[in-house]
Amino acid sequence: MAALDNLKLRDVLAEVASGALQLPDFQRNWKWDDDRIRAIIATVTLDYPLGVVMTLQTGGATRFRSRTLTGARPEGDPKAELLLLDGQQRLTSLFQALWLDAPVETSDSRGKSTERWYYVDIEKSVGPSADRDEAILSVPADKVSAPTSTARWSWI
């Protein structure tokens, strides 16, 4: 695996999926809420930097027990080539929202557990006064959002 500063997001997410990029077992569990996940997706769609991601190269051997990022289910028992020391919340959120074919298990602004799918509203994202945060849609696992005063959206 090349240095993380030279990789494309899809390559990093593939490393997560394969189990080559893992967490040291002492890292806290992943838990970002819906608003933070929407914000990081908006950041990615604007091609802004993701912030610091710090890893420790292991060469396949590590003095720490490791575990995959939440949602990653690699085949077999792969050895971690890199341990993710900083950036877990961002990478796990992006991995679950953009890579997995399943709703993200997260929480709402009140801390209530929920499952969400994430989409980009193309019309809102390319308009002259585009507010990218408003263009990232989060819908329930059943892909039917709550009715508003003007519309009911169904995601099929």
Side-chain angles (χ1 to χ4, degrees):
M1 180 173 193
L4 284 179
D5 60 348
N6 295 327
L7 288 178
K8 298 204 177 289
L9 179 59
R10 75 172 164 260
D11 296 332
V12 175
L13 299 182
E15 295 290 337
V16 171
S18 73
L21 178 59
Q22 295 188 23
L23 295 168
D25 200 37
F26 59 77
Q27 283 277 15
R28 66 187 172 106
N29 289 330
W30 171 81
K31 195 59 179 175
W32 255 19
D33 65 23
D34 181 55
D35 290 337
R36 286 187 176 198
I37 296 169
R38 287 180 55 242
I40 194 68
I41 294 170
T43 297
V44 167
T45 65
L46 290 166
D47 201 24
Y48 291 164
L50 291 177
V52 173
V53 174
M54 187 184 324
T55 61
L56 173 67
Q57 192 167 13
T58 67
T62 177
R63 298 169 70 183
F64 306 109
R65 282 194 308 206
S66 61
R67 59 185 167 90
T68 59
L69 278 69
T70 303
R73 292 176 183 84
E75 292 183 20
D77 187 21
K79 299 293 182 204
E81 295 174 21
L82 290 172
L83 292 178
L84 183 60
L85 302 178
D86 187 31
Q88 177 204 173
Q89 302 298 316
R90 287 167 280 150
L91 285 184
T92 302
S93 297
L94 290 169
F95 176 74
Q96 289 193 24
L98 304 177
W99 190 273
L100 296 181
D101 188 21
V104 177
E105 295 178 21
T106 185
S107 60
D108 63 18
S109 59
R110 296 179 308 269
K112 182 181 173 191
S113 293
T114 186
E115 292 184 344
R116 310 293 289 182
W117 291 96
Y118 294 90
Y119 299 93
V120 178
D121 182 323
I122 300 300
E123 190 173 304
K124 286 183 181 178
S125 69
V126 297
S129 61
D131 179 358
R132 196 54 60 96
D133 288 336
E134 294 299 317
I136 308 303
L137 305 176
S138 165
V139 297
D142 64 6
K143 297 185 181 179
V144 178
S145 66
T148 65
S149 60
T150 59
R152 178 178 172 101
W153 295 87
S154 177
W155 306 92
I156 302 172

